[in-house]
């Protein structure tokens, strides 16, 4: 090996040291390793169809935390993270010229068009400058491979190479978001936090052993694994999670809950393979079925949806949680997507791009694949698949605590009645200090099937309907079929 041999490891959605094949390969093939992260300006522009901010404040904060954490990890291993602002192909070309000894550029291949275009341009630079690429493609094997060992030490940066400053949110034209104490995801970004979360959820609390029973929760941190944001940025390896589950099953217990976490990881892979198969069709309005639907593009309706002003409390609570924290439960995501596509009839891409902007755990393949699914133009397209917002609210927030937490205008309406304020008598609303159309919106749309689940005692447009039941843990429905997921890990 030449003493001057240098490998650039271009990091993107693989911001970790453990189970990272790039570092594993580079450590064996280079004297000097340049771990490189580029703040690509194309990530901070508007989305393709509706010009929403492509990387919103919560995901950016989580990313910056992950970058700082990875830099600290690499420093402790004798290396450092080189950070640059600019297009990856231009940054790579500059480094090749500056260092003069680069033998290879290594990166993990992605599967969607913007990322593939970056790879093509990096490959073109390497070809022009006579530098090899090492790229790890998406695997199609049915077995789960062992994890790569974490190196005790990493070969250092080339002498004289500046590591570069990590930008602030302000540097990237973003504001630092305020942390909301109600957040179901109060965790920080980075590999260290991800590994600590797994230890907490598996080994410290045994929460994984009841995952299947709690995963449809709405309030708190431990109703689900919350691995999805770290998986989306590659701060934790899905293979590592899998092998930890297998160890947990061997040492403690194996049940439907431990299996279900593995099942969720399989869906994460499934959506990546869907993206490989269909390419840019996952972004197109007709979807995978090439199906024409007369979608509306009513910005007034869209603004009401995204700002939590629809007048349907379960929808509004979830949309306000997303806007205030960058996170929303899996159950909430299913419902607000169904409401946008089926009740409002809006272009599904409006919702997909809003989620892309705000979600901490946004993953291209899962987000767009699942919005297609919700819109009825993706995989497993069942005709007229639609969620009943009132039934869902009563099933999963029976006593209304979640809604009252995020829609304080309704905090004086007791129990499950908070899900249907328009069906309450004028006297009840007055007692709760609610004036529809003033302190809280009247519904921007109603669906006839909702009437079956309105309190029989309510005086309003609905008449007879549901009976109030006792508060209970959300039940699991036999007919759920393919569950509905929006993050790389499907919001585990």
């Amino acid at each position: 090996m030449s003493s001057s041999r240098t490998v650039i490891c271009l990091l993107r959605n693989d911001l970790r040291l453990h189970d990272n094949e790039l570092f594993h390969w580079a450590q064996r093939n280079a004297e000097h390793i340049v771990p490189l992260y580029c703040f690509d300006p194309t990530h901070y522009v508007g989305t393709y169809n509706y010009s929403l901010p492509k990387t919103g404040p919560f995901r950016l904060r989580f990313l910056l935390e992950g970058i700082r954490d990875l830099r600290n990890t690499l420093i402790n291993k004798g290396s450092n993270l080189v950070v640059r602002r600019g297009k990856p192909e231009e940054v790579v070309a500059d480094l090749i010229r500056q260092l003069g000894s680069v033998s290879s550029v290594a990166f993990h291949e992605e599967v969607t068009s913007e990322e593939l275009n970056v790879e093509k341009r990096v490959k073109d630079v390497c070809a022009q400058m006579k530098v090899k690429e090492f790229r790890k493609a998406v695997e199609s094997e049915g077995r789960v491979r062992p994890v790569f060992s974490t190196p005790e030490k990493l070969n250092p940066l080339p002498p004289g190479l500046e590591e570069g400053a990590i930008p602030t949110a302000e540097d990237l034209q973003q504001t630092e978001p305020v942390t909301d104490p109600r957040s179901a995801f109060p965790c920080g970004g980075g590999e260290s936090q991800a590994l600590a979360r797994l230890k907490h959820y598996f080994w410290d609390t045994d929460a994984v052993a009841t995952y299947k029973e709690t995963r449809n929760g709405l309030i708190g941190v431990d109703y689900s694994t919350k691995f999805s944001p770290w998986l989306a940025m590659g701060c934790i390896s899905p293979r590592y999670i899998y092998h930890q589950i297998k160890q947990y099953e061997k040492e403690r217990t194996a049940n439907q809950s431990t299996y279900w976490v593995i099942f969720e990881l399989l869906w994460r892979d499934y959506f990546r393979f869907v993206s490989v198969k269909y390419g840019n069709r996952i972004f197109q309005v007709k979807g995978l079925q090439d199906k024409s639907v007369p979608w509306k593009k009513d910005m007034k309706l869209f603004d009401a949806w995204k700002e939590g002003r629809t007048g349907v409390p379960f929808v509004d609570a979830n949309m306000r949680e997303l806007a205030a924290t960058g996170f929303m439960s899996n159950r909430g995501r299913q419902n607000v997507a169904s409401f946008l596509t089926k009740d409002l009839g809006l272009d599904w891409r409006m919702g997909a791009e809003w989620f892309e902007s705000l979600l901490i755990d946004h993953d291209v393949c899962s987000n767009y694949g699942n919005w297609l699914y919700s819109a009825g133009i993706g995989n497993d397209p069942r005709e007229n698949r639609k969620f009943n917002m009132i039934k869902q609210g009563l099933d999963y927030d029976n006593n209304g605590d979640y809604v009252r937490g995020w829609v304080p205008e309704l905090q004086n309406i007791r129990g499950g009645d908070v899900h249907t304020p328009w069906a309450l008598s004028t006297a009840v609303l007055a007692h709760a200090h609610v004036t529809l159309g003033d302190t809280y919106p009247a519904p921007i749309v109603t669906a006839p099937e909702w009437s079956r689940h309105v309190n029989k005692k309510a005086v309003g447009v609905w008449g007879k309907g549901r009976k109030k039941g006792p508060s209970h843990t959300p039940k699991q429905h036999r007919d759920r079929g393919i569950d509905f997921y929006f993050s790389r890990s499907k919001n585990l």
Side-chain angles (χ1 to χ4, degrees), residues 211-400:
Y211 169 73
K212 193 168 188 289
E213 290 72 43
T214 64
R215 67 197 178 100
N216 278 305
L218 300 169
I219 300 171
V221 182
D222 283 350
Y223 65 76
S224 63
T225 71
K226 301 297 194 299
F227 293 155
S228 58
W230 292 295
L231 276 165
M233 291 187 184
C235 298
I236 194 168
S237 158
R239 281 199 300 257
Y240 178 76
I241 296 172
Y242 171 84
H243 288 296
Q244 286 284 298
I245 292 171
K246 288 305 187 184
Q247 184 179 341
Y248 183 91
E249 289 180 332
K250 184 177 179 180
E251 296 182 13
R252 295 198 181 172
T253 187
N255 59 19
Q256 282 195 329
S257 289
T258 55
Y259 161 76
W260 211 261
V261 176
I262 295 173
F263 179 75
E264 310 278 25
L265 292 173
L266 291 173
W267 275 110
R268 169 187 175 271
D269 286 352
Y270 171 75
F271 279 118
R272 289 179 69 80
F273 286 119
V274 167
S275 300
V276 171
K277 178 177 180 179
Y278 290 100
N280 278 345
R281 285 172 65 182
I282 69 169
F283 304 115
Q284 292 169 3
V285 68
K286 293 184 177 182
L288 310 186
Q289 309 299 324
D290 197 30
K291 182 178 177 182
S292 293
V293 178
W295 303 111
K296 292 185 288 188
K297 299 185 178 181
D298 186 322
M299 296 309 293
K300 186 176 179 181
L301 288 178
F302 178 58
D303 286 345
W305 177 82
K306 70 186 180 72
E307 294 167 12
R309 296 185 291 101
T310 68
V312 182
F314 193 54
V315 173
D316 291 347
N318 278 286
M319 295 307 298
R320 292 184 192 188
E321 180 184 14
L322 175 62
T325 71
F327 196 82
M328 188 195 298
S329 69
N330 175 54
R331 180 56 45 184
R333 299 182 200 202
Q334 298 182 59
N335 277 277
V336 301
S338 177
F339 186 79
L340 180 125
T341 58
K342 300 300 173 60
D343 290 302
L344 299 182
L346 292 175
D347 181 355
W348 65 270
R349 298 171 301 174
M350 290 174 150
E353 291 187 10
W354 185 241
F355 273 28
E356 178 177 358
S357 178
L358 280 192
L359 280 174
I360 297 173
D361 61 6
H362 176 258
D363 168 81
V364 178
C365 304
S366 293
N367 184 47
Y368 281 85
N370 276 295
W371 274 97
L372 288 166
Y373 176 80
S374 177
I377 53 177
N379 294 89
D380 185 37
R382 300 178 199 170
E383 289 296 322
N384 303 316
R385 179 200 304 276
K386 183 182 181 185
F387 280 81
N388 182 320
M389 294 300 110
I390 310 308
K391 182 180 187 302
Q392 288 281 306
L394 292 168
D395 279 350
Y396 296 99
D397 184 33
N398 182 260
N399 197 42

Side-chain angles (χ1 to χ4, degrees), residues 455-474:
N455 188 350
K456 286 197 300 184
K457 296 178 182 178
V459 178
V461 298
W462 299 107
K464 294 183 179 181
R466 70 176 176 89
K467 295 180 180 179
K468 292 180 75 173
S471 182
H472 59 82
T473 301

Side-chain angles (χ1 to χ4, degrees), residues 18 190-200 230 235-236 240:
H18 78 276
E191 179 179 18
S192 301
Q193 291 277 339
L195 297 176
R197 173 64 184 173
L198 185 145
K199 180 177 179 294
H200 166 84
W230 292 295
C235 298
I236 194 168
Y240 178 76

Side-chain angles (χ1 to χ4, degrees), residues 110-221:
E110 293 288 342
V111 299
T112 47
S113 56
E114 290 182 8
E115 292 77 11
L116 291 172
N117 288 338
V118 168
E119 291 168 20
K120 182 182 183 303
R121 292 192 292 268
V122 169
K123 292 174 190 176
D124 289 345
V125 164
C126 290
Q128 292 164 12
M129 305 181 81
K130 296 182 171 54
V131 170
K132 296 178 182 178
E133 317 111 40
F134 171 77
R135 55 189 189 273
K136 187 59 185 174
V138 173
E139 292 286 346
S140 59
E141 297 178 26
R143 63 184 180 87
V144 180
R145 293 164 293 141
V147 297
F148 290 98
S149 59
T150 302
E152 290 297 321
K153 284 286 183 182
L154 271 183
N155 293 338
L157 299 181
L161 180 61
E162 292 287 335
E163 70 267 24
I166 298 173
T168 64
E170 290 74 19
D171 293 334
L172 298 167
Q173 286 73 56
Q174 278 280 13
T175 56
E176 182 70 24
V178 176
T179 299
D180 193 299
R182 297 169 291 179
S183 176
F185 188 81
C187 313
E191 179 179 18
S192 301
Q193 291 277 339
L195 297 176
R197 173 64 184 173
L198 185 145
K199 180 177 179 294
H200 166 84
Y201 195 80
F202 284 19
W203 302 105
D204 296 345
T205 66
D206 290 309
V208 68
T210 56
Y211 169 73
K212 193 168 188 289
E213 290 72 43
T214 64
R215 67 197 178 100
N216 278 305
L218 300 169
I219 300 171
V221 182

